[in-house]
């Protein structure tokens, strides 16, 4: 191949990119790897579960659960996803730029006075009150165009949504409904993550009591947990969220969905601490033997929850170092975490090595449980100091745009 050829230039560019990534990695205390391929694969698995007759959308609110909205929707669109749910119109505008032909629903409804923003970005508000329905109808009437929107019916969550009786009143007003195009009627499960809770069936019955009021309009009730409740809940469209990102839906995952996020922190130093020594703020945990501690360059300033720390009263979370589960030791501070590496070979627990705080070897849900929270909160609270890269959770990754 002649010098300066296209293939040579690409090789040089790849080499330059790798060198730049290595330089950035050397300057960062922690590394966050996000596998959008796993997110897309999880979506495909869920789509196969619900079958071709049901639309499988993707919920990408809160920056795609902390994973980066733009790269995530690009991966999902490449896998075949064409319907997205966001919380706010600015999120919807980002999705529109990345996937121009997508169908985009805004779960938080129609913000007061913002109808023009929805129309400009071709966003569909999920109308959750009579005031929102009326404002959208007036706006569409003034523009003389029947824009799409969804109707959210509250069946027991008691957050957003019109009541069942209000839904009946809306259905009985054909003149108002003629001003816009109702493209979806939806509700939301309060106890979907608890399959045996009888309230799931109660909500489904309330929702199905509206059948026939909006003929031809697709219906949706199932979030991630709802997908696992069975075909009765799938209706015409499912809108998984946390399942896409590898979070826990049920205690037993029959689909073996893939983890999509790995957080690692670099060891700054390894300390030899005698028995009877307190570690960290408040001396919350005291060594009961001569102990080797690895001090990691991350903390609650990077989104790792302080409550996951350990004390003499309660154990904390664990991390993963080269095939060894290592317990956190003492309180988590803003920038530092201590882990007990006494039982890890010294050549593995060394300055500069990375410790996995959660990912494929250290279950994120277990870490969240130790912090007395849920994996949703860990994901959406991912810090911005970590070097953020996109690629497989094992192997080469590339710096991402987020």
């Amino acid at each position: 191949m002649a010098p300066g050829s296209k293939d040579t230039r690409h090789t040089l560019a790849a080499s330059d990119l790798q060198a730049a990534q290595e330089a950035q990695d050397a300057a960062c205390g922690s590394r966050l790897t996000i596998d959008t391929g796993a997110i897309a694969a999880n979506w495909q698995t869920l789509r196969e579960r619900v079958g071709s007759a049901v639309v499988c959308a993707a919920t990408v609110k809160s920056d795609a659960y902390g994973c980066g909205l733009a790269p995530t929707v690009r991966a999902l669109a490449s896998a075949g996803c064409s319907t997205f749910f966001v919380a706010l119109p600015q999120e919807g505008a980002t999705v529109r730029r990345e996937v121009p032909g997508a169908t985009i629903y805004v779960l938080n409804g129609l913000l007061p006075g913002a109808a023009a923003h929805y129309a400009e970005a071709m966003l569909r508000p999920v109308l959750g009150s009579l005031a929102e329905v009326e404002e959208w109808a007036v706006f569409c009437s003034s523009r003389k165009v029947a824009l799409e929107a969804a109707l959210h019916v509250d069946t027991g969550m008691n957050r957003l949504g019109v009541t069942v009786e209000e839904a009946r009143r809306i259905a009985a007003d054909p003149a108002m409904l003629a001003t816009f195009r109702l493209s979806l009627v939806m509700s939301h499960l309060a106890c979907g993550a608890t399959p045996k809770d009888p309230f799931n069936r109660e909500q489904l019955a309330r929702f199905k009591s509206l059948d026939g009021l909006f003929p031809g309009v697709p219906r949706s009730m199932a979030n991630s947990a709802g997908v696992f409740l069975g075909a009765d809940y799938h209706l015409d469209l499912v809108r998984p969220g946390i399942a896409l990102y590898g979070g826990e839906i049920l205690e037993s995952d029959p689909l073996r969905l893939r983890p999509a996020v790995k957080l690692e922190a670099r060891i700054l130093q390894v300390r030899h601490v005698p028995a009877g020594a307190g570690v960290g703020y408040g001396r919350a945990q005291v060594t009961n033997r001569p102990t080797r501690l690895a001090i990691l360059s991350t903390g609650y300033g990077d989104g790792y929850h302080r409550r996951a720390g350990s004390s003499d009263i309660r154990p904390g979370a664990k991390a993963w170092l080269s095939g060894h589960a290592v317990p956190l030791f003492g309180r988590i501070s803003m920038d530092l975490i201590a882990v007990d590496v006494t039982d890890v070979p010294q050549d593995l627990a060394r300055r500069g090595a990375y410790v996995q705080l959660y990912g494929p070897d250290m279950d994120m849900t277990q870490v969240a449980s130790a912090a007395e929270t849920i994996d949703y909160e860990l994901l959406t609270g991912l810090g911005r100091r970590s070097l953020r890269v996109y690629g497989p959770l094992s192997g080469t990754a590339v710096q991402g745009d987020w």
Side-chain angles (χ1 to χ4, degrees), residues 348-402:
L348 299 178
R350 65 187 186 279
R351 178 171 176 256
Y354 273 109
V355 174
Q356 185 182 132
L357 295 172
Y358 49 78
D361 302 306
M362 182 51 57
D363 184 63
M364 178 172 54
T365 302
Q366 293 181 16
V367 176
S369 178
E372 298 181 343
T373 185
I374 54 176
D375 40 17
Y376 294 73
E377 191 171 11
L378 289 188
L379 282 170
T380 57
L382 291 171
R384 296 304 187 188
R385 288 195 300 187
S386 301
L387 175 66
R388 181 173 287 219
V389 293
Y390 287 88
L393 298 190
S394 60
T396 302
V398 297
Q399 184 183 1
D401 52 347
W402 45 275

Side-chain angles (χ1 to χ4, degrees), residues 285 304 307-311 314-319 327-330 366-367 370-371:
Q285 189 167 7
Y304 194 89
R307 185 60 177 163
S310 184
S311 71
R314 62 180 291 273
K318 292 182 180 180
L328 272 62
F329 202 99
Q366 293 181 16
V367 176

Side-chain angles (χ1 to χ4, degrees), residues 285-369:
Q285 189 167 7
V286 176
T287 57
N288 58 14
R289 61 174 178 170
T291 302
R292 278 190 299 126
L293 295 177
I295 310 302
L296 311 184
S297 182
T298 198
Y300 61 75
D302 302 282
Y304 194 89
H305 284 223
R306 184 175 182 270
R307 185 60 177 163
S310 184
S311 71
D312 289 333
I313 299 173
R314 62 180 291 273
K318 292 182 180 180
W320 188 263
L321 173 58
S322 299
H324 300 267
V326 290
L328 272 62
F329 202 99
R331 287 183 185 170
I332 293 167
S333 55
M334 185 182 295
D335 312 299
L336 301 170
I337 294 174
V339 295
D340 186 347
V341 295
T342 307
D343 300 322
V344 178
Q346 293 191 28
D347 62 323
L348 299 178
R350 65 187 186 279
R351 178 171 176 256
Y354 273 109
V355 174
Q356 185 182 132
L357 295 172
Y358 49 78
D361 302 306
M362 182 51 57
D363 184 63
M364 178 172 54
T365 302
Q366 293 181 16
V367 176
S369 178

Side-chain angles (χ1 to χ4, degrees), residues 62-129:
S62 193
D63 198 30
Y65 287 58
C67 292
L69 183 55
T72 297
V73 298
R74 287 197 297 266
L76 287 165
S78 295
C81 183
S82 60
T83 302
F84 298 90
F85 284 79
V86 297
L88 297 168
Q90 65 260 43
E91 295 174 330
T94 299
V95 178
R96 177 62 64 211
R97 287 193 297 271
E98 298 297 332
V99 190
T103 298
I104 306 167
Y105 287 100
V106 180
L107 289 164
N108 280 16
L110 179 62
L111 300 182
H117 295 286
Y118 292 73
E120 181 179 355
M122 295 178 289
L123 307 177
R124 302 182 183 186
V126 178
L127 306 173
S129 69

Side-chain angles (χ1 to χ4, degrees), residues 266-280:
R266 195 190 300 273
I267 297 176
L268 295 175
Q269 62 176 255
V270 178
R271 301 182 65 87
H272 294 264
V273 181
V279 176

Side-chain angles (χ1 to χ4, degrees), residues 33-75:
T33 305
I34 298 169
D35 188 350
T36 56
I39 296 172
N42 289 339
W43 177 83
Q44 290 173 322
T45 298
L46 294 167
R47 179 184 62 174
E48 291 169 4
R49 181 181 179 89
V50 300
S52 60
V54 177
V55 173
C56 187
T59 300
V60 293
K61 61 185 179 177
S62 193
D63 198 30
Y65 287 58
C67 292
L69 183 55
T72 297
V73 298
R74 287 197 297 266

Side-chain angles (χ1 to χ4, degrees), residues 55 57 82-85 96 102-106 118 122-127 133 136 140 146-152 170 176-187 207 214-221 235-239:
V55 173
S82 60
T83 302
F84 298 90
F85 284 79
R96 177 62 64 211
T103 298
I104 306 167
Y105 287 100
V106 180
Y118 292 73
M122 295 178 289
L123 307 177
R124 302 182 183 186
V126 178
L127 306 173
V133 173
W136 190 245
C140 291
L147 299 172
E148 292 89 350
L151 179 67
H152 184 173
I170 292 168
M176 181 178 65
L177 282 175
T179 63
F180 63 90
R181 190 167 77 84
L182 192 60
S183 57
L184 184 70
V185 178
M186 59 167 279
S187 191
F207 191 55
F214 304 99
V217 179
R219 303 159 301 157
S220 175
M221 196 165 200
L235 303 175
D236 303 299
L237 179 149
V238 298
R239 45 184 204 277

